[in-house]
Amino acid sequence: MAVAEDGRGGGIVIAIDGPSGSGKSSTSRGVARRLGLRYLDTGAQYRAMTWWMLEHGVDLADGEAVAAASLLPRLASATDPDGYGITVDGRVLVDEIRTGAVDAAVSKVAGVRAVRTRLIEAQRECVRTAVAEGVGIVVEGRDIAEVVWPIAPVKVYLTADQAVRAARREAEHAGAGRGTEAAATLAELARRDAEDAKTTRPLDAAPGAVVVDGTHLSLDEVVEEIVRLAKGQ
Ligand SMILES: Nc1ncnc2c1ncn2[C@@H]1O[C@H](COP(=O)(O)OP(=O)(O)OP(=O)(O)O)[C@@H](O)[C@H]1O
Ligand SMILES: Nc1ccn([C@H]2C[C@H](O)[C@@H](COP(=O)(O)O)O2)c(=O)n1
């Protein structure tokens, strides 16, 4: 299945996976806007779950406690690429899920089987709805093409050199007035990729995925490349 020349989705599912900071969120939103598709940020769900656990004092070293607690928060993901966000127990979270504390803890929470089971089911339900409604959706994360929706007709593994990813992240932080040491940003990125690799395969392309290396491409060029793939060109 490919989207039509006029860009309308017709229920297409585009899976975008890749390592930390490779541009998945910015690219996925861009592709969804261009093609009139919905957008699902699965990383935001793992982050929201982690935020909730930290807020409620769950002992993250205790896998059974994390598994039990993972049933409690009410999570709802917005899928508008211009109004994205996640609601937890009625509270919309934006900056709260992008803190250093959440960055430091999210891989551990995402490594708990019960957490993944719950969130993967929610992700599949979101995709099912978009397909049934004939809209289509771009879903980004670490395991979308391999686990969440292996029948996605368009699978992309988006990567970029680690140093470039770190420099882009650094520029983003500086722009937001919270500059850090470049070396620390690089180390944090490498740490999270290594931690995530214990649960998913962020450093490898899934079978059937097209590798898009954005190291030397602008954001617009990456979006264009994926739109072209979605149109079967
Ligand atoms: N091709 C590109 N050229 C220049 N900057 C880019 C490009 N792609 C993404 N960026 C920038 O890199 C930073 C990281 O991008 P983004 O947040 O989309 O990555 P991500 O893969 O979703 O990250 P994470 O896994 O940590 O959620 C952002 O500041 C974004 O604007
Ligand atoms: N499908 C997914 C998406 C995300 N994760 C984990 C791994 C990341 O460290 C964390 C946050 O994701 P990000 O916002 O950085 O994309 O969530 C996962 O295991 N599976």
Side-chain angles (χ1 to χ4, degrees):
M1 181 199 279
V3 292
E5 193 48 44
D6 70 359
R8 293 300 105 188
I12 195 170
V13 180
I14 302 178
I16 301 185
D17 293 302
S20 196
S22 60
K24 300 179 299 297
S25 309
S26 334
T27 301
S28 299
R29 282 201 300 273
V31 171
R33 283 186 195 116
R34 276 283 300 280
L35 298 176
L37 306 178
R38 290 178 188 163
Y39 160 63
L40 180 63
D41 178 353
T42 63
Q45 298 180 324
Y46 288 97
R47 287 173 176 276
M49 182 67 89
T50 303
W51 173 85
W52 190 94
M53 302 251 174
L54 292 173
E55 283 286 300
H56 288 79
V58 177
D59 177 3
L60 300 186
D62 180 345
E64 285 183 21
V66 172
S70 72
L71 300 173
L72 295 173
R74 287 176 297 125
L75 303 180
S77 292
T79 56
D80 176 347
D82 292 310
Y84 58 97
I86 185 151
T87 305
V88 181
D89 293 343
R91 173 170 169 180
V92 179
L93 302 180
V94 182
D95 295 339
E96 295 91 332
I97 61 169
R98 311 268 163 208
T99 61
V102 171
D103 280 349
V106 65
S107 304
K108 194 168 207 54
V109 172
V112 174
R113 176 47 48 199
V115 170
R116 302 199 75 77
T117 301
R118 179 176 174 196
L119 293 184
I120 288 170
E121 186 41 42
Q123 291 154 16
R124 288 184 176 144
E125 189 52 31
C126 197
V127 176
R128 264 183 224 114
T129 304
V131 171
E133 293 177 1
V135 190
I137 189 163
V138 184
V139 190
E140 56 112 339
R142 304 289 191 291
D143 58 349
I144 311 305
E146 208 161 1
V147 176
V148 175
W149 208 256
I151 58 171
V154 181
K155 298 178 181 179
V156 172
Y157 177 72
L158 178 60
T159 189
D161 284 356
Q162 198 175 60
V164 169
R165 288 189 271 134
R168 288 173 179 167
R169 186 60 92 206
E170 188 61 27
E172 181 187 327
H173 287 172
R178 49 190 176 96
T180 45
E181 287 271 314
T185 303
L186 182 64
E188 165 57 18
L189 204 109
R191 183 199 65 78
R192 200 142 61 84
D193 281 347
E195 284 299 308
D196 291 343
K198 294 177 184 168
T199 306
T200 57
R201 300 202 302 140
L203 302 174
D204 297 301
V210 176
V211 177
V212 175
D213 186 338
T215 305
H216 303 293
L217 300 178
S218 69
L219 184 54
D220 284 348
E221 287 171 325
V222 175
V223 169
E224 193 56 46
E225 175 69 13
I226 297 172
V227 166
R228 200 180 56 72
L229 288 171
K231 289 183 174 175
Q233 294 168 349

